[in-house]
Amino acid sequence: MKRLIQFITIATLAYGMAGCAAKKELMITYGSNHNIESQIISVGKDGTKMIKAWAFAKNPELAFMYAKRNAVSAAIFKGFPAGGGSGMVGAIVRNPNADTEHKAFFDEFFKDDGKWAQYVVSKNVGMPSGNDRLKVGKGYKVGASVAVKFDALRKYLEDSNIAKKLDEGF
Amino acid sequence: MRKIISTIAITLVAISLFGQAKKPTIMVVPSDQYCISRGYAMEYDNMGSKITLPDYKAALQNDLELKLIISKMSGIMADRGFPLKDLEQELKNLATQSAEMSMLESKSSGSGIAESPIDALKRTAKSDIIMDLSFEVKKVGPKKYVSFILNGLDAYTSKNVASAAGAGQPSSAAQTEILLEEAVLAYMDEFNGRLMSFFEDAFEKGREVKIRIKMFQNMDFDLESEYNDDELSEHIENWMADHAVNGRYNTQDATENFMQFEQVRIPMLNEKGRAVDARGWIRDLQKYLKDDPFMIESKLYMRGLGEAWLILGEK
């Protein structure tokens, strides 16, 4: 009987831990677009968009990197609402199923040392602080102010046949 | 071996040429409001009533802010695969073309170039999509900001197919030129997003065009004449229903002398994979009416990519 109670306790704890781990993983995947908080800060110069994006992670450094990646992800899949003196910016990829249809491409593109990093430049000097670095539960929520090289990113995705060109078909 | 390679090369070139729809031309034109409010206007007396029209030439020759904005927009559109037609250059071309036309003659007989009054009338600056532009630098205390309106108008259906409008962030430090540049950068993505939706819709549901059926005077038949127990207008409507994409068209107006069809959806490519415009599409109706039982001759008149008239009775 004692062994049975021990087994049930261990199994319950293991299940709970596995659940927590899976939840953390979900927060950082590029595909979970509903998670991304991002907005236009101001109008960028030729070909760039000035964006502020947020991300969660167990430490601020990791959250900062995820926030930068989220800015690129939002530019590709979600676009940005009007704000900061700019009109609305639509998603580069207009096909809502593009992330699953081109999963292999995006898995490679968004891996930690993937090409996404070429298309984002941080405007923060060092790590964000104050209201841009919040302690939430056991982790951190960090907001990164970045310049996304929007036109270069769009061109790369168009050349890779992921995004549709404006003059496609003509 | 050489023959096989050349056959493959020719086939590839043919596919690339015929697999593409006709690309619309786009031109930025300052709005009537912009031109007239700044004095770039022409006035003339039309039988007692005063008509005011925008003077594009004067606007483009004197307004540096307008030129700056057009130049910025041209760069962005060229980058997206749509180099814009330049209004100023187009107006210059038309002026030199008129001079050349009047001077040109054949070597042997000294004959001039044939030009009907309608040919002369058609020599105007035009494009398939007009980017109608208005902007104004406004002031709030010491700060300046730019209010910006851009409408993409389909020249044939007169529909607003893409638009973007808004006001920039007020600034007391930035120069006017920088604020104008920001205004273009701020709204062009929104405009292009809507333009893309318009193109996607055209590829999915067909290009929207306008078709008019007219009659020459003094013919011994009209659109109410009966052929095989049905009026000619019914035969034409049946043809439209059979040939428009998914039978989509709208009979806007009809009498015994004319029929006006709007929102006619024509395919972007025909069954051979060749690009189709309103004129090419309505030519099939012209052939249909030339056949038994109608035996009607007609003149096909083109008004750009998206509008064609079929005038029944004669060539």
Side-chain angles (χ1 to χ4, degrees), chain B residues 227 230-232 235 288-296:
Chain B
Y227 298 86
D230 283 328
E231 286 186 3
L232 179 57
H235 286 285
Y288 171 71
L289 294 176
K290 202 177 176 180
D291 252 2
D292 200 39
F294 312 106
M295 311 299 276
I296 296 171

Side-chain angles (χ1 to χ4, degrees), chain A residues 10-29:
Chain A
I10 291 165
T12 311
L13 283 172
Y15 178 77
M17 282 170 79
C20 286
K23 205 171 186 180
K24 268 185 189 168
E25 192 64 31
L26 182 72
M27 301 286 259
I28 58 165
T29 52

Side-chain angles (χ1 to χ4, degrees), chain A residues 30-84:
Chain A
Y30 70 83
S32 55
N33 294 319
H34 54 276
N35 249 352
I36 299 173
E37 289 174 35
S38 57
Q39 64 186 99
I40 299 174
I41 315 167
S42 63
V43 180
K45 282 285 165 194
D46 286 77
T48 63
K49 303 275 175 230
M50 307 302 293
I51 303 296
K52 185 164 192 176
W54 294 82
F56 298 89
K58 60 187 173 190
N59 65 57
E61 288 77 18
L62 211 53
F64 182 47
M65 188 191 85
Y66 292 154
K68 288 195 285 182
R69 190 164 70 179
N70 276 351
V72 178
S73 176
I76 295 174
F77 299 112
K78 195 176 147 195
F80 306 100

Side-chain angles (χ1 to χ4, degrees), chain B residues 215 220-235 256 294 296:
Chain B
M215 297 283 308
D220 57 356
F221 71 95
D222 61 23
L223 292 164
E224 287 177 353
S225 303
E226 291 196 2
Y227 298 86
N228 294 342
D229 300 329
D230 283 328
E231 286 186 3
L232 179 57
S233 59
E234 278 183 79
H235 286 285
E256 73 273 23
F294 312 106
I296 296 171

Side-chain angles (χ1 to χ4, degrees), chain B residues 268-287:
Chain B
M268 298 291 269
L269 302 168
N270 66 14
E271 61 281 357
K272 289 178 187 165
R274 290 182 188 165
V276 177
D277 59 6
R279 180 169 170 257
W281 188 74
I282 207 69
R283 187 170 279 138
D284 288 342
L285 175 63
Q286 186 184 32
K287 286 176 187 164

